Amino acid sequence: MTRKRVAVAGASGYAGGELLRLLLGHPDVEIGALTGASNAGQPLGALQPHLVPLADRVLEETSIETLSGHDVVFLALPHGQSGAVAAQLGDDTVVIDCGADFRLADSAAWEKFYGGQHAGTWPYGLPELPGQREVLRGATRVAVPGCYPTISSLSLAPAVAAGIVEPDVTVVAASGTSGAGKAAKPHLLGSEIMGNASAYGVGGVHRHTPEITQNLSKLTDGTVSVSFTPLLVPMSRGILATCSAKLTGGVTAEEVYDVYAKAYADEPFIHLLPQGQWPQTKSVTGSNAVHLQVTVDEDARRMIAVGAVDNLSKGTAGAAVQCMNLALGLDEGLGLTTVGIAP
Amino acid sequence: MTRKRVAVAGASGYAGGELLRLLLGHPDVEIGALTGASNAGQPLGALQPHLVPLADRVLEETSIETLSGHDVVFLALPHGQSGAVAAQLGDDTVVIDCGADFRLADSAAWEKFYGGQHAGTWPYGLPELPGQREVLRGATRVAVPGCYPTISSLSLAPAVAAGIVEPDVTVVAASGTSGAGKAAKPHLLGSEIMGNASAYGVGGVHRHTPEITQNLSKLTDGTVSVSFTPLLVPMSRGILATCSAKLTGGVTAEEVYDVYAKAYADEPFIHLLPQGQWPQTKSVTGSNAVHLQVTVDEDARRMIAVGAVDNLSKGTAGAAVQCMNLALGLDEGLGLTTVGIAP
Amino acid sequence: MTRKRVAVAGASGYAGGELLRLLLGHPDVEIGALTGASNAGQPLGALQPHLVPLADRVLEETSIETLSGHDVVFLALPHGQSGAVAAQLGDDTVVIDCGADFRLADSAAWEKFYGGQHAGTWPYGLPELPGQREVLRGATRVAVPGCYPTISSLSLAPAVAAGIVEPDVTVVAASGTSGAGKAAKPHLLGSEIMGNASAYGVGGVHRHTPEITQNLSKLTDGTVSVSFTPLLVPMSRGILATCSAKLTGGVTAEEVYDVYAKAYADEPFIHLLPQGQWPQTKSVTGSNAVHLQVTVDEDARRMIAVGAVDNLSKGTAGAAVQCMNLALGLDEGLGLTTVGIAP
Amino acid sequence: MTRKRVAVAGASGYAGGELLRLLLGHPDVEIGALTGASNAGQPLGALQPHLVPLADRVLEETSIETLSGHDVVFLALPHGQSGAVAAQLGDDTVVIDCGADFRLADSAAWEKFYGGQHAGTWPYGLPELPGQREVLRGATRVAVPGCYPTISSLSLAPAVAAGIVEPDVTVVAASGTSGAGKAAKPHLLGSEIMGNASAYGVGGVHRHTPEITQNLSKLTDGTVSVSFTPLLVPMSRGILATCSAKLTGGVTAEEVYDVYAKAYADEPFIHLLPQGQWPQTKSVTGSNAVHLQVTVDEDARRMIAVGAVDNLSKGTAGAAVQCMNLALGLDEGLGLTTVGIAP
């Protein structure tokens, strides 16, 4: 078949770099325009030195002229900028947005958490949620989920859908720093980050909270209450989400495990570990896999689910490629792997 | 005054090393016997090269002969070994146990979580809990709290005692690796730890769970249910505990903050940060301080409290020195600091 | 074509794990027996949880029965164990040894640095050295280079061969910890490694010294003197080698750069960075690429060359796969990439 | 005695923070004005949360009004700004500059490496260099050495002074990131730094090169040639310098060791490790100690000396306090320690 021609807007950032890393290994695509903002005019080798085959490619301005004429356009832009770009790209172009602009259905929630006007709602790029894969096949617009919502939703969905837990969940998610992006801020300096764990966005104010709520609430009749606390821990990549909720009945650890095993039996990228083995982020570094484990705290009567994901891969760029594959009618796993890099 | 002569049993481990670091800066003590197990006969400089003034001191065997004749004996031994040593030391010796042997009042809980026979219960070395400072003044035996129970209990105690949260709490605590000790195990290798976050002891099975339950339950009429999940994150020191519980009423973030501010107003080592500033472990590295912050998640109706502590300092050796000061009738803060080392 | 059947002896270690990671992505191989020593009988998923597709594979004993019947056998065993295994495998099996047993031509050097008896000398698996690629094509036995010799030799070879530096070089190589292996030792604990840089094997006593000397001396008439100092720095993977030598004449930085550019013009895995851009290990994480840069210190009249390599990939397992490709007559780069994982 | 009143200009940076950490533990000083540039008006607790006792102190503007009226003024300002401030402070004020402005005697070297006009030359604050302690006693102006020059000079001085090595040395120094300061730059982000080692300022162009040359050349009749390469490795603090030079004669490792042992026999902060034990940066974290070891590479006929220092403590702020003590006629070690924080 003819290779699909893809463009990446925002190629100098972490999401853009990971997209290009994956696309370089994808058999059915050819990498077209690469664009940047302040970095336009620079060679990619100076910005993403790990992408050797693209070292001499020069970043162009993010504009309709640059981005048109591609089969697929990936947008890895700051929140709020995707709408204007996407509006100029026709429906014959698959547009996959790694930003937050089109993730939420509730405009009020979008405006409360992001500010500005809500651009709209696109098919949500988490094919492992019930019914979602079908929505994504052949789609021409896809909103890639946030990294925290990806792992939080996948860690809790089977239990919430099965009604074995109360619709009132807590998530504490320890994240590497790449999720905070490549813009230089003092609190993200290596000197500050190494040897340091901290909490931020505490009390339900993190922007990913309404997205987790949206995903889990779709699985029940009502609204699922979500208490979400993100932590920053000293690693570049990876999220480890510790999720829990009160059990609704006398369900055992084995029964909970079975619920998860059945829910994800056919999912190529979800790996429920053998009972007793707990996820670690390093196992999924660079891969599109999600590692999960669940158990029951008998005394506290809570289910505890722990999930690990690479925030840049399955948490962003891997999901984007997976969605592109679905949108284009390709094998869903093309260019993706379940094999991580460790140690 | 005459300097008190102190011995450290288990001087080659992390708790022992931190004790010696603090004791070297304590104006009223003189360091006596240092003992080890397999390391006996080795100079301390080969085992703890950061303790330059003690580099030429040679470790002795841990025995009653070696440890007798001191005013204070610190035990930094593997769990289960303190009882036999302490039984041979008279009441004229202050014995401070950094292990778990004497922390729990409930023998059944001890035997369930630690195995073997329960050695007994000593005054519990967390002076910041209500009424506990008085118990420790002049004590001749002290059980130093576990690192996780220290930060979990201090993060939750004011809210539990005030009845503003349900007696049903969740704690997710991200810890550095030094809490796992200096014994070489493959999963603790630097190659495994760096770039990696993982969960362990999930589902209420970690040994520190009954200790947290004991501390919090003392503050209420009944038993507080505790869901505790420890995480291992890539740093040597520090614990960041994210604690939450449903609010019992319509309390606001300001009201919760005031409860904490009042509870800890006179505590020299507890530092409630200005509202809006969240704790980070690096701020307490090497210090005896605990940094706290609290807020309310309006949508989830939960209180979130986050605490940071250095697991080896205030979490172990600093608490031990603080308790020694109380036991000997010295100023509680001698040899201790609230100043951390950062970055 | 029929896929080649490959076995990996020592599949539970870091080199073995990296081999399997690469082989899982190789189009022309099928993974056969996986063996271990103390880990035989365990599922690979418990030992290498990042290798999801092999999670249920069980390790077998390392024996001739297990290893026979494969087209290729990779040996990732402790030093000194490869000879006995290899002796039992016929010449119709390609044997690729990731250990040190067959690297050195000088038996006296081998015995001085490794002890015991020298097993012999096999074709040396560094195809980027002059004339070496031809030796490896069709070989049935290959000795994979050590990680430090790989990067030290490639960083210095063009200058030594061209005679623009004195045959008297210094190498200071900062390495991640995975090169020290997965056997648990106290000084390799995460608690010790994080926040710490240290030197070891100082003064010419590291075992990789004679291997570097051998590689560089082949490029000149006499013996090249090598002062080699390895450092351990807090990262899992990667080596950054800083190499220098006095200039023999008035050569400029541009001229030195040209020497390197010409020497490596056709090498698919050696990436000489644009002048002024210096290597970093993260750019080669997980890749088979070597990043190089050179300059001249005008005042000190020394050439400085800096090279970066992933010690487990191109430094071990990647080189092994590259050599397998050459041995089997496949495209040299099959299953390998120049794209690293960053950040 | 009356406590000396000290001011710190540049209190929000890393050097300023470390100065305050040390001064908080100094028995004979009282902390006066704290100044900042863009951070003036902010409470120190928001900028240096580890300095709990100063949390409520508000940063003032750096001006003569703010800084006058102190016994000692520490300047921790960007290069080039100290001269103007110091010129306004009388000789009754001890001024200690942590910047580079007054370190070099050679104005041409200063202008070549720093640009702009050379402000002058002050007594150089490295009391461990021959004759230098005397210069510092009672001084009213002190230039604190750079961190790299401190460890490079101390690692090499005895050998250079004794003439046992050629006056032609190489230094490769692996540094933590705090030496690069707190200004946010993309390449210093935690995401970039963790898992990464890199070289910079290669080829004799780093600004600390002329300072090392100056220090070592004073010990000989001529000029010592210095090849200096700094590396950035993933840790917040610490420098490990690997230094080497050709031996001039048939000197043995023991003889070299003796030269160092004699040279530093009376130095309170220089700790020559027992032969065979090599320095690691973590042993000196937060301390004013320098750890050293030396040996001889018999084959390469080079002396190898390795030194470890905390770049912020003895490498900057500790040296500043040590110099203040000398300037004021206090005990040289007041407020300083040889005890590091580990692990």
Side-chain angles (χ1 to χ4, degrees):
Chain A
M1 68 175 275
T2 316
R3 292 188 162 214
K4 299 293 183 179
R5 192 166 166 79
V6 304
V8 175
S12 64
Y14 290 146
E18 186 72 354
L19 268 168
L20 291 170
R21 184 180 74 81
L22 296 174
L23 293 169
L24 281 165
H26 195 292
D28 290 355
V29 306
E30 150 186 306
I31 295 174
L34 308 181
T35 79
S38 59
N39 295 311
Q42 288 194 52
L44 196 68
L47 302 162
Q48 310 271 24
H50 60 301
L51 303 176
V52 174
L54 301 172
D56 295 332
R57 298 283 296 270
V58 175
L59 289 197
E60 301 176 76
E61 296 281 348
T62 302
S63 69
I64 183 63
E65 290 72 29
T66 315
L67 296 175
S68 63
H70 293 83
D71 298 298
V72 182
V73 173
F74 291 99
L75 303 178
L77 302 171
H79 298 314
Q81 301 189 3
S82 297
V85 176
Q88 302 178 71
L89 294 165
D91 271 356
D92 53 340
T93 305
V94 171
V95 183
I96 297 181
D97 183 22
C98 296
D101 296 17
F102 298 96
R103 290 175 192 159
L104 297 183
D106 179 350
S107 293
W110 203 92
E111 283 155 25
K112 174 180 169 192
F113 281 88
Y114 292 92
Q117 207 185 334
H118 187 212
T121 310
W122 285 357
Y124 187 74
L126 197 52
E128 293 85 0
L129 288 184
Q132 201 59 21
R133 182 167 281 113
E134 290 63 42
V135 174
L136 294 164
R137 285 193 215 281
T140 59
R141 294 291 184 272
V142 179
V144 176
C147 50
Y148 287 123
T150 293
I151 190 62
S152 304
S153 303
L154 294 176
S155 297
L156 284 162
V160 168
I164 57 175
V165 296
E166 300 284 355
D168 186 354
V169 305
T170 67
V171 177
V172 178
S175 174
T177 51
S178 58
K182 209 174 183 172
K185 297 170 191 168
H187 76 286
L188 296 174
L189 284 173
S191 301
E192 302 291 318
I193 291 295
M194 290 182 283
N196 204 4
S198 60
Y200 71 103
V202 188
V205 301
H206 190 281
R207 289 168 166 183
H208 285 176
T209 309
E211 193 178 336
I212 304 170
T213 303
Q214 170 177 293
N215 291 346
L216 296 178
S217 297
K218 273 192 187 164
L219 307 172
T220 63
D221 291 337
T223 296
V224 174
S225 172
V226 175
S227 165
F228 171 61
T229 309
L231 312 180
L232 213 51
V233 298
M235 55 193 196
S236 289
R237 285 178 179 235
I239 299 176
L240 188 86
T242 302
C243 309
S244 75
K246 279 278 172 191
L247 296 165
T248 49
V251 66
T252 65
E254 276 67 29
E255 289 164 342
V256 173
Y257 189 85
D258 285 347
V259 165
Y260 277 72
K262 273 177 205 145
Y264 292 134
D266 298 326
E267 285 300 338
F269 291 114
I270 299 195
H271 182 51
L272 183 64
L273 291 163
Q275 269 191 293
Q277 184 176 356
W278 289 88
Q280 54 179 25
T281 57
K282 209 162 185 173
S283 295
V284 296
T285 301
S287 97
N288 207 52
V290 167
H291 286 203
L292 292 180
Q293 185 56 280
V294 286
T295 194
V296 160
D297 183 325
E298 294 290 351
D299 290 329
R301 297 306 307 152
R302 292 184 82 87
M303 180 199 77
I304 321 285
V306 177
V309 75
D310 182 328
N311 58 303
L312 289 181
S313 286
K314 174 60 176 164
T316 305
V321 170
Q322 190 179 352
C323 292
M324 175 194 76
N325 289 338
L326 286 166
L328 296 177
L330 302 173
D331 180 286
E332 186 178 336
L334 269 188
L336 300 170
T337 179
T338 60
V339 178
I341 294 209
Chain B
M1 68 173 274
T2 318
R3 290 185 164 216
K4 299 293 183 179
R5 192 165 165 79
V6 304
V8 174
S12 64
Y14 289 146
E18 185 72 354
L19 268 169
L20 290 171
R21 184 179 75 82
L22 296 174
L23 293 170
L24 280 165
H26 194 292
D28 290 356
V29 306
E30 151 187 306
I31 295 173
L34 308 180
T35 79
S38 59
N39 294 311
Q42 289 194 51
L44 197 68
L47 302 162
Q48 308 272 24
H50 61 300
L51 303 175
V52 174
L54 299 172
D56 296 331
R57 296 284 296 270
V58 174
L59 288 196
E60 301 176 76
E61 297 280 349
T62 302
S63 70
I64 182 65
E65 289 72 29
T66 314
L67 297 174
S68 64
H70 292 84
D71 299 299
V72 182
V73 173
F74 290 98
L75 303 178
L77 302 171
H79 298 316
Q81 300 189 3
S82 297
V85 176
Q88 303 179 70
L89 294 165
D91 272 358
D92 53 339
T93 305
V94 171
V95 183
I96 296 180
D97 184 23
C98 296
D101 296 17
F102 299 95
R103 289 176 193 157
L104 296 183
D106 179 353
S107 293
W110 203 91
E111 283 155 24
K112 174 179 169 192
F113 281 88
Y114 291 93
Q117 206 184 334
H118 187 212
T121 310
W122 286 357
Y124 188 74
L126 197 52
E128 292 85 0
L129 289 184
Q132 200 59 21
R133 182 167 282 114
E134 290 61 43
V135 174
L136 294 164
R137 283 196 217 281
T140 59
R141 295 291 184 271
V142 178
V144 176
C147 51
Y148 287 124
T150 293
I151 191 63
S152 304
S153 303
L154 295 176
S155 297
L156 284 163
V160 169
I164 57 176
V165 295
E166 300 284 354
D168 188 353
V169 304
T170 67
V171 177
V172 178
S175 175
T177 52
S178 58
K182 208 173 180 172
K185 297 171 189 166
H187 75 286
L188 295 175
L189 285 172
S191 301
E192 301 290 319
I193 292 294
M194 290 182 284
N196 203 4
S198 60
Y200 71 104
V202 187
V205 301
H206 190 282
R207 289 168 164 184
H208 284 176
T209 309
E211 194 180 333
I212 304 171
T213 304
Q214 170 177 291
N215 291 345
L216 295 178
S217 296
K218 274 193 187 161
L219 306 172
T220 64
D221 291 337
T223 297
V224 174
S225 173
V226 174
S227 165
F228 171 61
T229 308
L231 313 179
L232 214 50
V233 299
M235 57 192 191
S236 287
R237 288 180 177 230
I239 300 177
L240 188 86
T242 302
C243 311
S244 75
K246 280 278 173 191
L247 296 165
T248 49
V251 65
T252 66
E254 276 67 27
E255 289 163 342
V256 173
Y257 188 85
D258 285 347
V259 166
Y260 276 71
K262 272 176 203 145
Y264 292 134
D266 298 327
E267 287 298 339
F269 292 113
I270 301 195
H271 182 52
L272 183 64
L273 291 162
Q275 271 192 290
Q277 185 177 354
W278 289 88
Q280 55 180 25
T281 58
K282 210 162 184 172
S283 294
V284 296
T285 300
S287 97
N288 207 52
V290 167
H291 286 202
L292 293 180
Q293 186 55 281
V294 287
T295 195
V296 160
D297 183 324
E298 295 289 352
D299 291 328
R301 296 306 305 152
R302 292 183 82 88
M303 180 200 78
I304 321 284
V306 177
V309 74
D310 182 326
N311 58 304
L312 289 180
S313 286
K314 175 60 176 164
T316 306
V321 170
Q322 190 179 355
C323 290
M324 176 193 75
N325 289 339
L326 286 167
L328 296 176
L330 302 174
D331 182 287
E332 187 176 337
L334 270 188
L336 300 170
T337 180
T338 58
V339 178
I341 294 209
Chain C
M1 67 175 275
T2 317
R3 289 186 166 216
K4 300 293 183 179
R5 191 165 167 79
V6 304
V8 175
S12 65
Y14 289 146
E18 186 72 355
L19 268 168
L20 291 170
R21 184 179 75 82
L22 296 174
L23 293 170
L24 281 165
H26 195 291
D28 289 355
V29 306
E30 149 187 305
I31 296 174
L34 307 181
T35 79
S38 58
N39 294 312
Q42 289 194 52
L44 197 69
L47 302 162
Q48 309 272 24
H50 61 300
L51 302 176
V52 173
L54 300 172
D56 295 333
R57 296 285 296 271
V58 174
L59 288 198
E60 301 176 76
E61 297 280 351
T62 302
S63 69
I64 183 65
E65 288 73 29
T66 314
L67 298 175
S68 63
H70 293 83
D71 299 299
V72 182
V73 173
F74 290 99
L75 303 178
L77 302 172
H79 298 314
Q81 300 189 3
S82 295
V85 176
Q88 303 180 70
L89 295 165
D91 272 358
D92 53 339
T93 306
V94 172
V95 183
I96 297 181
D97 184 22
C98 296
D101 297 16
F102 299 95
R103 290 174 193 159
L104 296 184
D106 179 349
S107 293
W110 204 91
E111 284 156 24
K112 174 179 168 192
F113 281 89
Y114 291 94
Q117 208 186 331
H118 187 212
T121 310
W122 286 357
Y124 188 74
L126 197 50
E128 292 85 358
L129 288 184
Q132 200 59 22
R133 182 168 281 111
E134 289 62 41
V135 174
L136 295 164
R137 284 195 216 281
T140 59
R141 295 290 184 272
V142 178
V144 176
C147 51
Y148 286 124
T150 294
I151 190 62
S152 304
S153 304
L154 295 176
S155 297
L156 284 163
V160 169
I164 57 175
V165 295
E166 300 284 353
D168 186 355
V169 304
T170 67
V171 177
V172 178
S175 174
T177 52
S178 58
K182 209 175 181 172
K185 296 172 192 166
H187 77 285
L188 295 174
L189 285 172
S191 301
E192 302 291 319
I193 292 295
M194 290 181 284
N196 203 5
S198 59
Y200 70 104
V202 187
V205 301
H206 191 282
R207 289 169 165 183
H208 285 176
T209 309
E211 193 178 335
I212 303 170
T213 303
Q214 170 177 291
N215 291 345
L216 296 178
S217 296
K218 275 194 187 163
L219 306 172
T220 63
D221 291 337
T223 297
V224 174
S225 172
V226 174
S227 164
F228 171 60
T229 307
L231 312 180
L232 213 53
V233 299
M235 56 192 195
S236 288
R237 288 178 179 235
I239 299 176
L240 188 85
T242 303
C243 310
S244 75
K246 280 276 171 193
L247 296 166
T248 48
V251 65
T252 65
E254 275 67 30
E255 289 164 342
V256 173
Y257 189 85
D258 285 346
V259 165
Y260 276 71
K262 270 175 206 145
Y264 292 134
D266 297 326
E267 286 300 337
F269 291 113
I270 299 194
H271 181 53
L272 182 65
L273 291 162
Q275 269 193 292
Q277 185 176 356
W278 290 88
Q280 55 179 25
T281 58
K282 210 161 184 173
S283 295
V284 296
T285 300
S287 97
N288 208 51
V290 166
H291 286 202
L292 293 181
Q293 186 55 280
V294 287
T295 195
V296 160
D297 183 325
E298 294 290 353
D299 291 328
R301 295 309 304 154
R302 293 183 81 88
M303 179 199 79
I304 321 285
V306 177
V309 75
D310 183 328
N311 58 304
L312 289 180
S313 285
K314 173 60 176 164
T316 305
V321 170
Q322 190 179 354
C323 291
M324 176 193 76
N325 289 338
L326 286 167
L328 296 176
L330 303 173
D331 180 286
E332 186 177 337
L334 270 188
L336 300 170
T337 179
T338 58
V339 179
I341 294 208
Chain D
M1 70 175 271
T2 317
R3 291 185 164 218
K4 300 293 182 178
R5 191 166 168 79
V6 305
V8 175
S12 64
Y14 290 146
E18 186 72 354
L19 268 168
L20 290 170
R21 184 180 75 80
L22 296 174
L23 293 170
L24 280 165
H26 195 291
D28 290 355
V29 307
E30 155 187 301
I31 296 173
L34 308 180
T35 79
S38 59
N39 295 311
Q42 287 194 53
L44 197 67
L47 302 162
Q48 309 272 23
H50 60 300
L51 302 176
V52 174
L54 301 172
D56 296 332
R57 297 282 298 271
V58 174
L59 288 197
E60 302 176 74
E61 296 282 349
T62 302
S63 69
I64 182 64
E65 290 71 29
T66 315
L67 297 174
S68 63
H70 293 83
D71 299 299
V72 183
V73 173
F74 291 99
L75 303 178
L77 303 171
H79 298 314
Q81 300 189 4
S82 296
V85 176
Q88 303 179 70
L89 294 164
D91 272 357
D92 53 339
T93 304
V94 172
V95 183
I96 296 181
D97 184 22
C98 296
D101 297 15
F102 298 95
R103 290 177 193 158
L104 296 184
D106 178 352
S107 292
W110 204 92
E111 283 156 24
K112 174 179 169 194
F113 282 88
Y114 292 93
Q117 205 185 334
H118 187 212
T121 311
W122 286 358
Y124 187 73
L126 198 50
E128 293 85 359
L129 289 184
Q132 200 60 22
R133 182 168 280 113
E134 289 62 43
V135 174
L136 295 163
R137 284 195 215 281
T140 59
R141 294 290 184 274
V142 178
V144 176
C147 50
Y148 287 123
T150 293
I151 191 62
S152 304
S153 303
L154 294 176
S155 297
L156 284 163
V160 169
I164 57 176
V165 295
E166 300 284 354
D168 187 356
V169 304
T170 66
V171 177
V172 178
S175 175
T177 52
S178 59
K182 208 172 181 174
K185 297 171 191 166
H187 76 286
L188 295 174
L189 285 172
S191 301
E192 301 291 319
I193 291 295
M194 290 182 285
N196 203 3
S198 59
Y200 69 104
V202 188
V205 301
H206 190 282
R207 290 169 165 184
H208 284 177
T209 308
E211 194 179 335
I212 304 171
T213 303
Q214 170 177 293
N215 290 346
L216 296 177
S217 297
K218 274 193 187 165
L219 306 172
T220 63
D221 290 338
T223 297
V224 174
S225 172
V226 174
S227 165
F228 171 62
T229 308
L231 314 179
L232 214 52
V233 299
M235 57 193 193
S236 288
R237 285 179 179 232
I239 300 175
L240 188 86
T242 302
C243 311
S244 75
K246 280 276 174 193
L247 295 166
T248 48
V251 66
T252 66
E254 276 68 28
E255 288 164 342
V256 172
Y257 189 85
D258 285 346
V259 165
Y260 276 71
K262 271 177 207 144
Y264 292 135
D266 298 326
E267 285 299 337
F269 291 114
I270 300 195
H271 181 52
L272 182 65
L273 291 163
Q275 270 191 291
Q277 184 176 356
W278 289 88
Q280 54 179 24
T281 58
K282 210 163 183 171
S283 294
V284 297
T285 301
S287 97
N288 207 52
V290 167
H291 285 203
L292 293 180
Q293 185 57 282
V294 286
T295 195
V296 160
D297 183 325
E298 295 290 352
D299 290 330
R301 297 307 305 154
R302 290 183 84 87
M303 181 199 75
I304 320 286
V306 177
V309 75
D310 182 327
N311 58 305
L312 289 180
S313 285
K314 173 61 177 163
T316 306
V321 170
Q322 190 178 353
C323 291
M324 175 193 77
N325 289 339
L326 285 168
L328 296 176
L330 302 173
D331 180 286
E332 187 177 336
L334 269 188
L336 300 170
T337 180
T338 58
V339 178
I341 294 209

